[in-house]
């Protein structure tokens, strides 16, 4: 099983709010995207739940270095995401909501091979390993298919294969089941359950969140609850119903 | 259009001599078509080059040959506009109607032949093989600060982006028709450009997340 740690040390993000600028203003006002967060994630499965626009995706993107905090820092296995982005990305894979944005090659096998390109210079060996990964996920029958011909669920599983091919120790997934139907949703969740990597995922599916070892609830840019899944889901339900 | 555009960059597997030819030879053929079309701007040369592409497609197999007519099927209007423009340019410069037509055939035919040769390369070669070859061929550019791997990835992204943007244009058109806005190209251009920029952002994020854009000189902490 995994042995990884992600630490947020007062990590926060504020951006210039161009929309709020008026002609007389001397400086561009700041808009908080994520309020300072301090926590350490070492559990195998960590779920992040919260409303749209609450800051979940920003929190996740900070782990991979896709978003650099404007204050504080994020450490992945002791490496700062801002100063050692390349090193951090060797440890952290990222799965996006829309797999089509993630798949850059037209054929499934070619995309998995692309993930291996940096580590496996020999083309034949690259192909063999790519096929091995697809076989492990039960996707070998899709190897020579066009990514455009796949269903949403198949695409998401292929995107997962491209991430796993890179061999990272942590998988971050931003709402990976949002675009999936019930069957594919279950398939992806089953696959997630078998992974050896630490998985940090955002989701609106509260059943999926409840299967994590730890759940963070994000509301209006703040982590407002951090704890056991049952309590976190209850806290989020209460929060959502109060605002409704 | 939707279906065929989506196959851009998808190779058709086969065991023909064209498929098995070394990559450098395939690139050389594409280059030769471009040079010939440019150097001999004559209608007979252009027609001969087009004929040669048909023979090469046929030699690559029935499924490849079936793709030959796609550019004419979907982009005939573009070739027609270009041809008419070339005819008018020659005619207004004093050429006779026949001479102007020959000129238009030479220019548009040459372009079509070069395009078909380039498409054949994509149809008979896997993209990863093309990328590896391009990366190797462009290695000397490293001395002037250009990353050949990034450049070859850029080419594959360009091929990948054409069907994605075409699909987004179809979606925007469908949405506009559903709202009764019609097919006004000016009204549709804005949303298509915005969605293309959004697509570029998402692809950039995905490439960065996969570490495909990381440079070797970055400190590894």
């Amino acid at each position: 099983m995994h042995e990884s740690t992600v630490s947020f040390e007062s990590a926060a993000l504020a951006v210039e709010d161009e929309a709020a600028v008026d002609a007389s203003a001397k400086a561009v006002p700041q808009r908080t995207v994520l309020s300072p967060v301090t926590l350490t994630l070492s559990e195998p499965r960590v779920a992040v739940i919260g409303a749209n626009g609450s800051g979940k995706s920003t929190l996740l993107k900070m782990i991979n270095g896709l978003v650099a905090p404007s204050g504080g820092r994020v450490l992945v296995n002791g490496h700062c995401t801002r100063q050692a982005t390349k090193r951090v990305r060797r440890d952290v894979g990222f799965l996006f909501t829309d797999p089509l944005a993630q798949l850059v090659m037209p054929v499934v096998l070619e995309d998995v091979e692309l993930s291996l390109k940096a580590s496996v210079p020999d083309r034949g060996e690259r192909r063999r390993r790519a096929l091995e990964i697809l076989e492990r996920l039960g996707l070998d029958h899709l190897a020579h298919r066009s990514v455009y011909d796949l269903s949403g669920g198949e695409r998401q599983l292929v995107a997962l294969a491209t991430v796993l091919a890179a061999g990272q120790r942590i998988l971050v997934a931003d709402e990976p089941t949002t675009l999936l139907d019930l069957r594919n949703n279950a398939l992806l969740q089953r696959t997630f359950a078998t992974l050896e990597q630490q998985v940090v995922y955002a989701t609106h599916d509260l059943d999926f969140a409840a299967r994590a070892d730890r759940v963070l609830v994000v509301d209006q840019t703040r982590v407002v609850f951090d704890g056991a899944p049952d309590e976190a889901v209850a806290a989020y339900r209460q929060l959502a119903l109060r605002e409704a | 259009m939707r279906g065929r555009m989506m196959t851009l960059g998808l190779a058709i597997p086969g065991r023909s001599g064209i498929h098995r030819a070394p990559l450098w030879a395939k690139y050389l053929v594409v280059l030769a078509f471009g040079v010939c079309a440019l150097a001999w701007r004559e209608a007979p040369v252009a027609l001969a080059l087009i004929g040669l592409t048909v023979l090469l497609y046929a030699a690559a197999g029935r499924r490849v040959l079936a793709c030959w007519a796609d550019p004419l099927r979907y982009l005939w209007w573009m070739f027609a506009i270009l041809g008419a423009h070339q005819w008018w340019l020659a005619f207004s410069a004093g050429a006779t109607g026949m001479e102007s037509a020959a000129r238009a055939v030479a220019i548009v035919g040459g372009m079509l032949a070069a395009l078909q040769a380039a498409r054949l390369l994509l149809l008979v070669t896997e993209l990863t093989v093309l990328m590896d070859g391009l990366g190797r061929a462009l290695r000397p550019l490293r001395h002037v600060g250009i990353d050949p791997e990034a450049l070859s990835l850029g080419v594959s992204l360009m091929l990948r982006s054409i069907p994605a943007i075409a699909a987004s244009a179809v979606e925007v058109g469908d949405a506009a028709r559903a709202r009764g806005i019609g097919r006004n190209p000016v009204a549709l251009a804005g949303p298509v450009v915005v969605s293309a920029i959004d697509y570029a952002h998402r692809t950039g994020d995905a490439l960065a997340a996969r570490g495909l854009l990381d440079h070797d000189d970055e400190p590894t902490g």
Side-chain angles (χ1 to χ4, degrees), chain A residues 49-52 54 204 206 217-220 224 232-244:
Chain A
I49 54 177
N52 292 328
S54 58
H204 289 297
L206 297 183
V217 181
V218 186
D219 184 52
Q220 294 177 13
V224 294
V233 168
Y236 177 52
R237 275 191 211 279
Q238 205 172 15
L239 197 71
L241 290 174
R242 198 169 57 210
E243 285 169 3

Side-chain angles (χ1 to χ4, degrees), chain B residues 168-190:
Chain B
S168 119
V170 171
E171 271 174 29
V172 168
D174 285 351
R177 272 194 300 284
R179 295 174 61 191
I181 297 172
R183 283 175 169 268
N184 182 351
V186 179
L188 298 183

Side-chain angles (χ1 to χ4, degrees), chain A residues 61 64 66 79 82-87 89-90 92-94 96 98-107 110-115 117 121 123 126-127 145-149 162-163 166 168, chain B residues 5-11 125-129 131-133 136 149 152-153 156-157 159-161 163-164 199 202-212 214-221:
Chain A
K61 285 180 176 174
N64 181 275
L66 276 173
H79 301 287
R82 184 196 288 278
Q83 288 160 0
T85 316
K86 187 180 174 188
R87 176 67 188 79
R89 284 184 183 146
R90 247 185 265 156
V92 184
F94 201 102
F96 291 81
D98 179 6
L100 255 194
Q102 184 155 357
L103 301 171
V104 292
M105 301 296 276
V107 177
E110 291 178 353
D111 210 298
V112 181
E113 282 182 44
L114 184 66
S115 292
K117 201 169 178 186
R123 200 192 300 150
R126 216 154 60 206
R127 176 141 298 195
R145 294 262 301 273
S146 158
V147 296
Y148 301 107
D149 292 340
T162 67
V163 176
Q168 290 121 327
Chain B
M5 283 298 275
M6 291 302 170
T7 62
L8 193 66
L10 270 183
T125 319
E126 284 180 19
L127 201 50
T128 43
V129 176
M131 280 176 68
D132 281 354
R136 274 197 307 274
E149 295 299 328
S152 73
L153 180 63
S156 71
L157 283 176
L159 291 170
R160 163 79 172 77
S161 301
Y199 171 76
R202 283 185 292 131
T203 304
D205 270 355
L207 292 177
R210 290 176 72 174
L212 297 171
D214 290 331
H215 298 291
D216 292 338
D217 54 354
E218 186 180 319
T220 52

Side-chain angles (χ1 to χ4, degrees), chain B residues 40-55:
Chain B
W40 294 283
R41 273 179 273 186
E42 303 289 341
V45 174
L47 293 173
L49 287 174
I50 291 173
L52 194 55
T53 63
V54 177
L55 290 177

Side-chain angles (χ1 to χ4, degrees), chain A residues 46-160:
Chain A
V46 179
V48 183
I49 54 177
N52 292 328
S54 58
K56 298 189 302 294
S57 293
T58 304
L59 187 83
L60 295 189
K61 285 180 176 174
M62 279 183 177
I63 301 174
N64 181 275
L66 276 173
V67 171
S70 54
R73 62 180 188 163
V74 179
L75 302 176
V76 175
N77 295 329
H79 301 287
C80 176
T81 56
R82 184 196 288 278
Q83 288 160 0
T85 316
K86 187 180 174 188
R87 176 67 188 79
V88 165
R89 284 184 183 146
R90 247 185 265 156
D91 276 355
V92 184
F94 201 102
L95 194 64
F96 291 81
T97 309
D98 179 6
L100 255 194
Q102 184 155 357
L103 301 171
V104 292
M105 301 296 276
V107 177
V108 169
L109 185 61
E110 291 178 353
D111 210 298
V112 181
E113 282 182 44
L114 184 66
S115 292
L116 293 163
K117 201 169 178 186
S119 56
V120 187
D122 179 68
R123 200 192 300 150
E125 176 64 11
R126 216 154 60 206
R127 176 141 298 195
R128 195 188 62 75
R129 287 211 209 164
L131 280 167
E132 210 173 82
I133 289 156
L134 287 171
E135 202 176 322
R136 204 192 314 150
L137 290 176
L139 302 171
D140 43 329
H141 62 291
L142 302 177
H144 299 284
R145 294 262 301 273
S146 158
V147 296
Y148 301 107
D149 292 340
L150 306 179
S151 69
E154 287 171 336
R155 273 183 199 155
Q156 194 59 283
L157 287 169
V158 169
L160 178 61

